[in-house]
Amino acid sequence: MSLLDKEIAVRRTFAIISHPDAGKTTLTEKLLLFGGAIQVAGAVKSNKIRKTTTSDFMGIEKQRGISVATSVMAFDYRDLKINILDTPGHKDFAEDTYRTLTAVDSVIVVIDVAKGVEEQTERLVEVCRMRHTPIIVFINKLDREGKDAFDLLDEIEAKLGLKVTPLSWPAGMGQRFKGVYSLYEKNLVLFRPHSKQTEDVVAFSDLSDPALEGHIGQTLATELRDESEILETVYPAFSRDAYLKGEISPVFFGSAVNNFGVRELLDCFVEIAPSPLPRVTEERVVQPSEASFSGFVFKIHANIDPRHRDRIAFLRVCSGIFERNTPYHHVRLNRDLRFSNPTSFMASKKEIVDQAFPGDVVGLYDSGNFKIGDALTSGEDLHFKGMPSFSPEIFRLVNNDDPMKAKPFVKGLDQLMDEGVAQLFTRVMDGRKIIGVVGHLQLDVIQYRLEHEYGAKVSYEPVNLHKACWVSCPDKKTLEAFTQRRSRDLARDTEGQLVFLAESPWMLKMAQDNHPEIQFRMMSEE
Ligand code: G4P
């Protein structure tokens, strides 16, 4: 086996996604503890952006700063190199999360047993499902009272559209919680809330063994036996193949804060989760084992220190070996670039790397060359597909308040758009600029950063818009006719793509009904 094949085989790159507060940070931390990447609990700072007012702006920026350190957390476990890509929990930064999901090969979804499937989980899982990303579900906080396990699985199937199969099953819950039975390893893991040793594993190949009563009591033993019979008839047997195709999701139960059920999750994860997968480009499918290097930028993080304008571009290596100080082809700019300080992230440590392999993420110091979605290769022109742009929901006309600062205003806006902070549309009719964001926080971020990093003062003007959707039509003439007829409602995005600006859901529906030949898309996947 070549060095490249060996390195690919040992890598697992994934993200943990959840609705805020379900336990993503806690679970991440426990996984890092198992991998020895951190020594003490509490070392992983939550990158949660707590509710702040505009005046506490540096507060948000500082909190965002934390997420640089925790953007990628690598650790070793059982001879494997595991990369966890962190995603911001705050819903106003959901787009960051969607983009990060393009750089992983699988995900773990954390669900709070009491709250069940929450809104953000739905949106995130939808993106994973569209891409057939393999998903493992971890139901957390079993030490608390929550929903009935069967009801919860029904809810997951109904709301998330996932077909599930439990690989562990709880004995009791909350006050009565005694442990979980692993259907995968055929053992009973006992919960010991008040002892340091939180896990006690007893092999149980057969639940009819009378010893079960001794461990969890008569009532729970009967319940567990009855339920396990139901499980066998209701849920399909686990198939790794189906999981890898994104067709079935194994479910685990546990309590992250008590470090309970986490090792079982991790042990199963390392056995079933995929090693780096091929990536689709407009030109062809790129296999990780190809000798030529290729990768794409999925996230750009600005330096929070305004005196240093440089940014960090996060590049996912897709094929070949990335090497320090080697010139690579920047496809969009058609230029060669070399990197003297590519950085890797080991939990909270950063270090310069000489080499990186498929599945790895390297941080590249950037003075403005990168845009989200950019490809870097050994020479081939490749355009990676699947980087999503979602239809924003909040719109503002943006004005430059200081005519002397026209240049920094345009430059600042361009750079912020490259980072993916928001989307910029230029109205066809009058050339005015409209900013579209998914959350109000971004409006504050843009205003603050334009002023502090670029010296440009901007103000917003309300604009009556409900949605921006990308429009297209295979027939050029039809599209031209549409463009002329509806020029008042059209704009171009930064890529020059045509966008329909709808004032209301009703206007959008009318336009769709009146122009059945035109496709209206809520999401643009480049
Ligand atoms: P997030 O990243 O998904 O937003 O969630 P996070 O891990 O920060 O967890 C949210 C809260 O839930 C935290 O409490 C955390 O301690 C708690 N938690 C996580 N796992 C479990 C569990 O298995 N059982 C119980 N009962 N609670 C759990 P907090 O009070 O918000 O923060 P902290 O002060 O404890 O850090």
Side-chain angles (χ1 to χ4, degrees):
M1 221 196 241
S2 69
L3 167 72
L4 178 58
D5 288 335
K6 261 191 224 152
E7 294 290 345
I8 293 170
V10 298
R11 274 173 174 71
R12 303 286 181 274
T13 301
F14 77 109
I16 303 179
I17 55 177
S18 73
H19 193 88
D21 277 342
K24 180 168 71 77
T25 311
T26 313
L27 180 63
T28 306
E29 183 168 290
K30 300 300 174 194
L31 294 176
L32 294 176
L33 282 167
F34 277 124
I38 54 171
Q39 268 67 48
V40 286
V44 178
K45 297 276 178 299
S46 166
N47 74 356
K48 229 180 286 178
I49 293 164
R50 309 212 183 256
K51 226 177 159 39
T52 30
T53 56
T54 327
S55 58
D56 182 22
F57 211 73
M58 261 336 264
I60 297 178
E61 284 300 292
K62 280 204 189 109
Q63 290 173 38
R64 272 169 65 76
I66 290 169
S67 70
V68 174
T70 58
S71 279
V72 189
M73 289 164 282
F75 67 97
D76 294 332
Y77 185 71
R78 296 207 325 208
D79 300 330
L80 295 179
K81 296 213 166 312
I82 300 178
N83 294 312
I84 306 184
L85 271 51
D86 197 18
T87 54
H90 197 289
K91 79 169 184 355
D92 285 8
F93 294 95
E95 273 199 279
D96 269 8
T97 304
Y98 296 132
R99 292 189 287 250
T100 298
L101 291 178
T102 62
V104 301
D105 300 300
S106 71
V107 300
I108 294 180
V109 178
V110 183
I111 290 174
D112 182 323
V113 70
K115 296 194 179 137
V117 175
E118 294 172 271
E119 182 202 334
Q120 228 163 294
T121 318
E122 275 184 64
R123 294 178 65 171
L124 294 171
V125 169
E126 199 184 322
V127 175
C128 297
R129 253 189 20 233
M130 270 165 26
R131 304 210 182 105
H132 310 289
T133 307
I135 301 174
I136 296 179
V137 178
F138 181 72
I139 297 180
N140 190 28
K141 308 196 184 181
L142 264 285
D143 58 316
R144 288 210 185 142
E145 299 304 328
K147 299 189 179 185
D148 169 76
F150 283 108
D151 290 348
L152 208 48
L153 295 189
D154 283 352
E155 189 179 328
I156 293 171
E157 294 208 321
K159 286 197 181 162
L160 298 182
L162 298 178
K163 230 175 149 50
V164 296
T165 188
L167 288 188
S168 75
W169 195 254
M173 190 181 287
Q175 294 279 349
R176 292 169 70 227
F177 185 52
K178 287 280 188 262
V180 292
Y181 180 65
S182 166
L183 301 144
Y184 187 65
E185 292 174 5
K186 298 275 179 236
N187 57 31
L188 182 68
V189 190
L190 295 167
F191 182 55
R192 306 247 185 263
H194 302 300
S195 84
K196 279 231 150 144
Q197 173 72 34
T198 48
E199 286 195 2
D200 206 347
V201 183
V202 194
F204 259 98
S205 56
D206 185 357
L207 280 180
S208 62
D209 189 334
L212 188 62
E213 272 82 351
H215 289 292
I216 60 175
Q218 175 79 48
T219 322
L220 284 180
T222 312
E223 258 177 47
L224 186 59
R225 287 187 189 118
D226 291 350
E227 289 175 350
S228 81
E229 263 175 42
I230 304 175
L231 292 178
E232 275 172 29
T233 53
V234 174
Y235 297 101
F238 174 69
S239 138
R240 180 168 186 235
D241 235 26
Y243 156 73
L244 290 178
K245 287 187 192 144
E247 290 168 0
I248 196 161
S249 297
V251 180
F252 289 84
F253 292 84
S255 167
V257 80
N258 289 297
N259 207 2
F260 183 81
V262 177
R263 183 179 282 280
E264 288 68 28
L265 173 74
L266 181 58
D267 283 341
C268 177
F269 171 83
V270 296
E271 269 179 42
I272 67 171
S275 50
L277 297 171
R279 286 288 183 281
V280 182
T281 69
E282 275 169 30
E283 291 76 12
R284 62 189 187 83
V285 174
V286 174
Q287 299 295 337
S289 56
E290 290 174 21
S292 322
F293 156 77
S294 70
F296 67 89
V297 171
F298 63 93
K299 171 172 176 150
I300 295 177
H301 209 293
N303 198 326
I304 54 165
D305 181 348
R307 284 166 304 172
H308 302 282
R309 191 77 67 72
D310 60 350
R311 316 184 285 187
I312 301 176
F314 292 86
L315 177 109
R316 146 111 193 187
V317 180
C318 297
S319 67
I321 304 175
F322 171 91
E323 303 201 60
R324 184 179 164 203
N325 278 326
T326 304
Y328 289 120
H329 177 55
H330 186 307
V331 177
R332 182 175 54 86
L333 299 182
N334 192 19
R335 248 175 72 190
D336 280 0
L337 297 175
R338 69 173 75 219
F339 303 91
S340 50
N341 297 313
T343 306
S344 83
F345 303 83
M346 284 290 281
S348 49
K349 284 202 302 278
K350 280 199 293 192
E351 56 186 37
I352 292 177
V353 283
D354 290 319
Q355 286 190 320
F357 299 91
D360 284 343
V361 171
V362 280
L364 305 174
Y365 287 94
D366 169 44
S367 53
N369 289 317
F370 285 114
K371 214 168 147 161
I372 284 183
D374 276 349
L376 211 56
T377 70
S378 295
E380 193 179 348
D381 279 333
L382 292 173
H383 298 85
F384 287 89
K385 281 171 86 161
M387 193 58 77
S389 289
F390 286 83
S391 170
E393 278 153 27
I394 301 162
F395 299 88
R396 294 286 184 276
L397 278 160
V398 53
N399 297 319
N400 170 26
D401 287 349
D402 181 353
M404 302 296 288
K405 292 286 167 65
K407 260 196 178 162
F409 166 74
V410 172
K411 183 168 180 212
L413 264 184
D414 275 355
Q415 293 212 342
L416 293 183
M417 298 310 127
D418 289 352
E419 284 175 33
V421 177
Q423 294 180 53
L424 187 67
F425 305 107
T426 309
R427 211 151 59 177
V428 168
M429 181 173 70
D430 55 8
R432 288 201 67 184
K433 293 190 185 313
I434 296 176
I435 276 182
V437 292
V438 287
H440 282 279
L441 261 181
Q442 268 109 334
L443 289 175
D444 301 342
V445 170
I446 292 165
Q447 207 167 31
Y448 180 92
R449 288 190 49 194
L450 281 175
E451 185 175 341
H452 289 82
E453 292 172 33
Y454 299 90
K457 262 201 172 335
V458 299
S459 59
Y460 297 125
E461 234 180 88
V463 55
N464 181 25
L465 283 181
H466 156 72
K467 271 258 161 19
C469 356
W470 286 268
V471 286
S472 60
C473 176
D475 182 55
K476 275 212 159 88
K477 278 214 168 111
T478 315
L479 188 62
E480 247 168 55
F482 172 78
T483 313
Q484 286 194 344
R485 261 189 68 191
R486 304 300 299 250
S487 65
R488 285 174 53 86
D489 305 310
L490 293 172
R492 299 227 173 243
D493 70 6
T494 47
E495 305 293 318
Q497 293 194 65
L498 209 54
V499 176
F500 184 81
L501 303 172
E503 285 180 12
S504 65
W506 182 79
M507 293 281 279
L508 178 59
K509 173 136 194 350
M510 283 283 285
Q512 284 170 316
D513 290 349
N514 289 338
H515 302 280
E517 71 287 1
I518 302 288
Q519 281 181 320
F520 291 76
R521 283 167 300 129
M522 295 298 170
M523 195 177 119
S524 115
E525 281 225 343
E526 284 170 21

